[in-house]
């Protein structure tokens, strides 16, 4: 089970990295989003191991670590804000240049 | 009282930011509130520094939760020094912004974002929890990349996008390493981590260390990760450039110091950081030689100056840390002043290119003299403060028995002198091509204050050196921090 989760984190992170290396800014932003999601999964797996119950659901010490779930909530909220701001910048870039291709943005490299 | 003193530098600007949004569209109100907040925060910061120096590490447990379980805000000397530097600079930046930010931006989102930036940097300096550290780092990136794109034109947006993606990638890497640390140690509290890692060899920490070195390397524009910096720093509105070059780049160095010394209790990967820093020191100045845009030239010089700071940091000795802290303070004063002067010159002449300026000495004599003092200080000419930081650097390197490192240091210093004198001659000497007049006094006042600081920190260097040495001693003994934060608790 943990191998499966570990593999999926690796695959999602790698896909995100691959997307960030593309020339289209929407793809770059999606790549960044995929990476963030992979990291969120990683946070969850740091505390949730197979065979443990949800925190506060049962008495005893058979519950998962509740702190990682608080952390992942914070991380998701931050990611949402960042994602929206990046999309706004991408939209403004599209308005200015009429293109989403990084290669068309040449004003800085004069 | 001391507990609230620790929280105020974070809380006040965070309260001010939404308050400023309420006065959306009323520029005079926004200016007054921003200046008022910045002055109060600066006063609190100076008080905090004095208090930390006399009473040791000050702590506050957020929500009353006891130390290893709740969030801690803790001010040791390093944090207090960074808070003081940031808060004093932000007062000058607010004053400088009054006339230089276009009227359309004055009443809207500029000052709220600046206050958020101030809050996040103070938060980074004072937090005692690594996840909280990541959150403040994210707030810092968000507010600064929005400020870089503030003018909303093509180049600004492009620079802002590049800055955002690179720095968010760094934040993601940092988050992975924070989670890794949590996975290994089961706590997020810096003091608790220091206790758990003390004197142990933990093989899992190797990839974690590599991850956060890469993350802070991107933030500090260390050599292979430097390429976002010239764009962002030259395209941001000038007061924001001063903030970016003055303090935000150094938060990368601050993070390295915090993670290595406070948490891990010692430097690792020192050799790698050292040689990358040596390359970025020389490389930054070589790029600066060929620049025509005045702000771009200053931005490349920032890469090289952060190289100096990282070189002395990577020595891992008390003298090295002292030099790194002194260098950070002095470079902040010098570079913020130079960026502000560059902004004044650009505004008065209407061009960013140095080869189109020329002959401004007769038209703007005050600016010319201030720029000359800043340039000489950057190159390290005595009795200015740049000399003190260069001296501390050389002493630290020789102390550590690595004379080979002096080669990049000397080359970088000579190139700095060449670049800055060439730029000065190009801007102020020769035939006059542009009509320009001296800027108004309100805009020049912060630069004059910084120039006075250049002289003061140069002539009265001893108290600064003593303070930095005390900070280094405190950092090299992580038990001081751990005892103050955790109290008597042994886990």
């Amino acid at each position: 089970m943990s191998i499966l989760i570990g593999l999926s984190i690796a695959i999602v992170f790698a896909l995100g990295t691959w997307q960030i290396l593309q020339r289209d800014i929407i793809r770059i932003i999606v790549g960044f989003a995929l990476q963030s999601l992979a990291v969120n999964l990683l946070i969850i797996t740091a505390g949730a191991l197979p065979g443990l119950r949800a925190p506060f659901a049962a008495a005893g010490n058979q519950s998962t670590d509740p702190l990682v779930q608080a952390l992942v909530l914070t991380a998701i909220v931050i990611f949402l804000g960042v994602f929206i701001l990046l999309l706004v910048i991408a939209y403004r870039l599209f308005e200015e240049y009429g293109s989403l291709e990084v290669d068309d943005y040449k004003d800085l490299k004069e | 009282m001391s507990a609230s003193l620790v929280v105020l530098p974070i809380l006040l600007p965070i309260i001010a930011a939404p308050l400023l949004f309420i006065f959306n569209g009323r520029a005079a109100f926004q200016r007054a509130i921003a200046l008022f907040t910045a002055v109060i925060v600066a006063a609190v910061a100076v008080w905090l520094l004095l208090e930390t120096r006399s009473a040791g590490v000050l702590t506050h447990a957020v929500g009353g939760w006891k130390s290893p379980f709740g969030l801690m805000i803790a001010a040791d000397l390093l944090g207090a020094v960074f808070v003081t530097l940031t808060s004093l600079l932000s007062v000058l930046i607010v004053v400088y912004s009054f006339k230089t930010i276009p009227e359309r931006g004055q009443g809207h989102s500029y000052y709220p974002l600046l206050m958020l930036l101030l809050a996040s940097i103070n938060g980074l300096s004072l937090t005692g929890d690594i996840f909280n550290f990541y959150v403040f780092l994210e707030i810092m990136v968000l507010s600064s990349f929005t400020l870089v794109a503030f003018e909303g034109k093509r180049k600004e947006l492009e620079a802002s996008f590049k800055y955002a993606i690179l720095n968010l990638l760094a934040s993601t890497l940092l988050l992975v390493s924070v989670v890794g640390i949590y996975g290994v140690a089961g706590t997020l509290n810096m003091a608790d981590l220091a206790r758990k890692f003390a004197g142990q060899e933990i093989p899992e920490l190797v990839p974690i260390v590599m991850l956060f070195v890469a993350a802070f390397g991107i933030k500090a524009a260390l050599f292979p990760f430097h390429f976002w910096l010239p764009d962002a720093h030259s395209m941001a509105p000038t007061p924001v450039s001063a903030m970016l070059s003055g303090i935000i780049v150094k938060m990368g160095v601050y993070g390295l110091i915090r993670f290595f010394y406070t948490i891990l209790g010692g430097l690792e990967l020192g050799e790698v950081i050292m040689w990358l820093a040596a390359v970025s020191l020389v490389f930054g100045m070589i790029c600066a030689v060929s620049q025509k845009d005045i702000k771009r030239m200053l931005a490349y010089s920032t890469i090289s100056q952060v190289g100096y700071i990282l070189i002395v940091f990577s020595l891992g000795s008390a003298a090295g840390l002292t030099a790194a802290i002194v260098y950070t303070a002095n470079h902040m004063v010098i570079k913020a002043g130079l960026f502000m002067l560059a902004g004044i010159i650009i505004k008065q002449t209407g061009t960013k290119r140095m080869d189109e300026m020329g002959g401004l000495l007769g038209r703007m004599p005050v600016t010319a003299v201030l720029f000359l003092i800043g340039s000489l200080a950057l190159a390290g000419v005595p009795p200015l403060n740049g000399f003190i930081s260069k001296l501390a650097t050389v002493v630290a390197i020789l102390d550590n028995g690595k004379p080979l490192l002096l080669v990049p240091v000397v080359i970088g210093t000579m190139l700095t002198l060449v670049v800055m004198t060439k730029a000065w001659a190009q801007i102020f000497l020769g035939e006059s091509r542009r009509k320009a007049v001296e800027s108004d006094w309100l805009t020049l006042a912060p630069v004059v204050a910084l120039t006075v600081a250049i002289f003061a920190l140069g002539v009265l260097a001893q108290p600064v050196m003593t303070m930095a040495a005390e900070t280094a001693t405190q950092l090299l003994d992580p038990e001081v921090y751990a005892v103050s934060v955790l109290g008597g608790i042994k886990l």
Side-chain angles (χ1 to χ4, degrees), chain B residues 30-31 34-36 38 89-99 110-111 114-115 239 340:
Chain B
Q30 281 207 346
R31 279 196 280 257
L35 183 61
F36 181 71
L89 181 65
S90 70
V91 174
L92 300 178
I93 281 173
V94 168
V95 173
Y96 183 85
S97 305
F98 286 171
K99 289 272 170 71
Y110 177 76
Y111 291 112
L114 205 59
M115 287 298 124
M340 288 178 178

Side-chain angles (χ1 to χ4, degrees), chain B residues 245 250 302 305 326-336 378:
Chain B
S245 263
K250 274 107 172 188
T302 297
Q305 299 282 321
V326 170
Y327 211 113
T328 303
N330 286 341
H331 177 246
M332 185 199 85
V333 171
I334 301 168
K335 193 49 76 63
L378 194 65

Side-chain angles (χ1 to χ4, degrees), chain A residues 13 20 25 28-29 32 35-36 39-40 42-43 46-47 65 67-68 70-72 74-75 78 81-82 85-86 89-90 92-93 96-97 102 105-110, chain B residues 131 134-135 138 142 145-146 149 151-162 164-165 168-169 172-173 175-176 179-180 182-183 186-188 231 234-235 296 353:
Chain A
F13 201 92
I20 283 186
I25 53 173
I28 294 176
I29 295 173
F32 164 72
Q35 279 192 341
S36 300
V39 176
N40 288 349
L42 181 72
I43 302 176
D65 185 357
L67 185 61
V68 287
L71 297 188
V72 87
T74 317
I78 293 174
V82 171
L85 265 171
L86 280 178
I89 300 246
R92 286 284 298 123
L93 272 169
E96 291 287 331
Y97 285 94
V102 178
Y105 304 156
K106 290 193 179 114
D107 279 19
L108 266 178
K109 313 175 194 80
E110 53 197 17
Chain B
F131 189 77
Y134 159 77
V135 173
E138 213 59 325
L142 279 179
F145 90 73
T146 321
E151 311 236 329
K153 298 196 203 81
R154 287 183 171 201
K155 289 183 181 177
E156 283 83 2
L157 288 165
E158 203 181 323
S160 160
F161 190 75
K162 207 188 255 184
I165 288 292
L168 291 171
L169 191 64
T172 310
L173 294 180
L175 182 57
V176 176
V179 172
Y182 181 70
T187 174
L188 291 165
D231 291 342
S234 63
M235 284 305 143
R296 244 183 137 70
R353 293 172 65 93

Side-chain angles (χ1 to χ4, degrees), chain A residues 44-55:
Chain A
I44 281 289
T45 35
L49 297 167
L52 297 181
R53 295 175 180 223

Side-chain angles (χ1 to χ4, degrees), chain B residues 129-198:
Chain B
D129 180 283
I130 48 174
F131 189 77
N132 206 223
F133 189 95
Y134 159 77
V135 173
F136 278 122
L137 203 68
E138 213 59 325
I139 301 177
M140 185 178 89
V141 175
L142 279 179
S143 44
S144 57
F145 90 73
T146 321
L147 279 170
V148 170
F150 190 72
E151 311 236 329
K153 298 196 203 81
R154 287 183 171 201
K155 289 183 181 177
E156 283 83 2
L157 288 165
E158 203 181 323
S160 160
F161 190 75
K162 207 188 255 184
Y163 173 73
I165 288 292
L166 255 297
N167 279 275
L168 291 171
L169 191 64
S171 300
T172 310
L173 294 180
L174 182 71
L175 182 57
V176 176
S177 98
V178 165
V179 172
I181 290 177
Y182 181 70
V184 171
T187 174
L188 291 165
N189 187 301
M190 287 182 186
D192 200 13
L193 285 170
R195 280 270 172 85
K196 290 201 167 144
F197 289 150

